[in-house]
């Protein structure tokens, strides 16, 4: 039995008993309608159902036993992923209460089966995916749940991580691309390289706790910090702000 204790249990006839073969994660859907789909899912003629539904106000209903049974939401994807319908239309964003509800479901699945805390656009990878990605094999619903709700999956995962009290890796800030500096400036002979690129790197270093003047001048003082930084990060110690040293200010772990 795998019933979520925060959901109202409303079993439906549209299901395949013992039809689950894997627990890869959750598929996000949009209802394209309002109010509980229970009657529709409990009507044999509809040939449709889902594991869960979350209303705009955050009410959660569960229609099949997610641990063993297969709902009929995404065709070939029903065996391996659970499914959640969300009240409303593709043109509407999920409400905060809906994000909370879906996040609670996701945190529950993460605890029970190890659904990983990540967004995927996939029919095979574990995580929080979406209906449209499955194409015809998943019933041919390219607009489910729509761009707005698809983009809200990151918030759902972030909230699920909070609920699980699992620190996720901080988002990695990609380094700005290396400035196209003429090599002669990197030799630290006067005239020194100066400008906003240098200032950006200095600011980044200061934000990371290095004592450095943010003056936009790549002179001897900054070169001394570059050497210390290179030593600390096991880079070639040459005092030159080359590509590796540039990007390490964004990517190297802070130690
Ligand atoms: Zn759908």
């Amino acid at each position: 039995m795998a019933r979520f204790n925060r959901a109202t249990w409303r079993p439906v006839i549209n299901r395949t008993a013992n039809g689950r073969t894997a627990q890869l994660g959750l598929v996000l859907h949009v209802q394209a309608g309002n109010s509980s789909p229970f009657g529709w899912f409990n009507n044999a003629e509809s040939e449709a159902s889902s594991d869960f539904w979350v209303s705009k106000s955050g009410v959660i209903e569960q229609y099949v036993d997610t641990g063993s049974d297969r709902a009929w939401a995404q065709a070939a994807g029903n065996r391996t992923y659970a499914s959640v319908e969300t009240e409303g239309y593709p043109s509407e964003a999920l409400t905060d209460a809906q994000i909370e509800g879906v996040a609670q479901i996701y945190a529950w699945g993460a605890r029970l089966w190890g659904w990983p805390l990540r967004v995927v656009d996939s029919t095979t990878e574990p995580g929080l995916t979406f209906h449209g990605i499955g194409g015809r094999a998943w019933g041919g619903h390219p607009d489910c749940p729509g761009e707005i709700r698809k983009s809200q999956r990151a918030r759902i995962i972030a909230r699920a991580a909070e609920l699980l009290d699992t620190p996720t890796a901080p988002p990695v800030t990609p380094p700005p691309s290396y400035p196209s500096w003429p090599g002669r400036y990197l030799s630290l002979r006067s005239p020194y390289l100066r400008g906003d690129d240098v200032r950006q790197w200095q600011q980044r270093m200061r934000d990371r706790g290095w004592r450095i003047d943010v003056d936009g001048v790549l002179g001897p003082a900054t070169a001394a910090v570059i050497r210390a930084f290179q030593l600390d990060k096991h880079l070639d110690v040459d005092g030159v702000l080359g590509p590796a040293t540039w990007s390490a200010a964004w990517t190297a772990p802070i130690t």
Side-chain angles (χ1 to χ4, degrees):
M1 283 292 175
R3 296 181 196 164
F4 181 37
N5 62 8
R6 296 195 191 200
T8 303
W9 173 239
R10 302 187 77 182
V12 297
I13 60 173
N14 292 343
R15 66 189 176 95
T16 302
N18 301 308
R20 302 277 307 183
T21 60
Q23 286 287 353
L24 297 183
L26 186 66
V27 177
L28 185 67
H29 295 257
V30 63
Q31 183 181 359
N34 291 320
S35 79
S36 171
F38 169 78
W40 181 243
F41 289 168
N42 202 38
N43 176 345
E45 289 181 18
S46 77
E47 299 185 336
S49 63
S50 62
D51 290 79
F52 294 98
W53 172 77
V54 180
S55 80
K56 291 175 178 173
S57 63
V59 170
I60 304 172
E61 296 187 347
Q62 186 176 8
Y63 306 117
V64 307
D65 187 316
T66 304
S68 56
D69 296 350
R70 179 182 353 140
W72 299 346
Q74 63 250 348
N78 291 327
R79 288 179 170 79
T80 50
Y81 291 92
S83 48
V84 59
E85 285 284 359
T86 51
E87 184 177 33
Y89 291 86
S91 58
E92 302 170 330
L94 294 169
T95 66
D96 289 347
Q98 277 178 309
I99 288 172
E100 177 68 22
V102 178
Q104 286 181 1
I105 294 167
Y106 204 91
W108 171 78
R111 263 197 212 97
L112 267 181
W113 300 297
W115 295 352
L117 294 170
R118 63 174 185 171
V119 172
V120 292
D121 294 345
S122 173
T123 60
T124 55
E125 293 172 62
L128 177 58
T129 187
F130 68 98
H131 190 186
I133 192 70
R136 287 181 61 183
W138 280 21
H141 288 262
D143 300 325
C144 182
E147 293 303 319
I148 302 171
R149 294 183 185 216
K150 273 164 62 178
S151 70
Q152 291 179 292
R153 288 176 295 158
R155 271 187 65 196
I156 293 168
I157 290 298
R159 178 59 183 149
E162 275 181 13
L163 292 168
L164 291 165
D165 200 19
T166 304
T168 49
V172 175
T173 310
S177 56
Y178 185 67
S180 51
W181 286 327
R184 67 188 175 91
Y185 287 117
L186 301 177
S187 65
L188 289 177
R189 283 192 298 271
S190 184
Y192 300 126
L193 178 65
R194 59 181 65 228
D196 288 340
D197 293 325
V198 175
R199 192 183 306 278
Q200 183 181 23
W201 190 85
Q202 290 171 329
Q203 184 64 55
R204 176 68 184 179
M205 290 291 286
R206 177 177 280 197
D207 291 345
R208 294 179 55 135
W210 290 81
R211 296 180 60 155
I212 186 171
D213 287 338
V214 183
D215 58 5
V217 179
L218 184 45
T222 292
V225 177
I226 289 172
R227 286 179 195 282
F229 179 63
Q230 289 170 330
L231 192 64
D232 189 55
K233 300 307 174 197
H234 307 288
L235 298 163
D236 288 342
V237 181
D238 56 9
V240 169
L241 187 48
T245 303
W246 171 270
S247 53
W250 280 268
T251 57
I254 296 173
T255 50

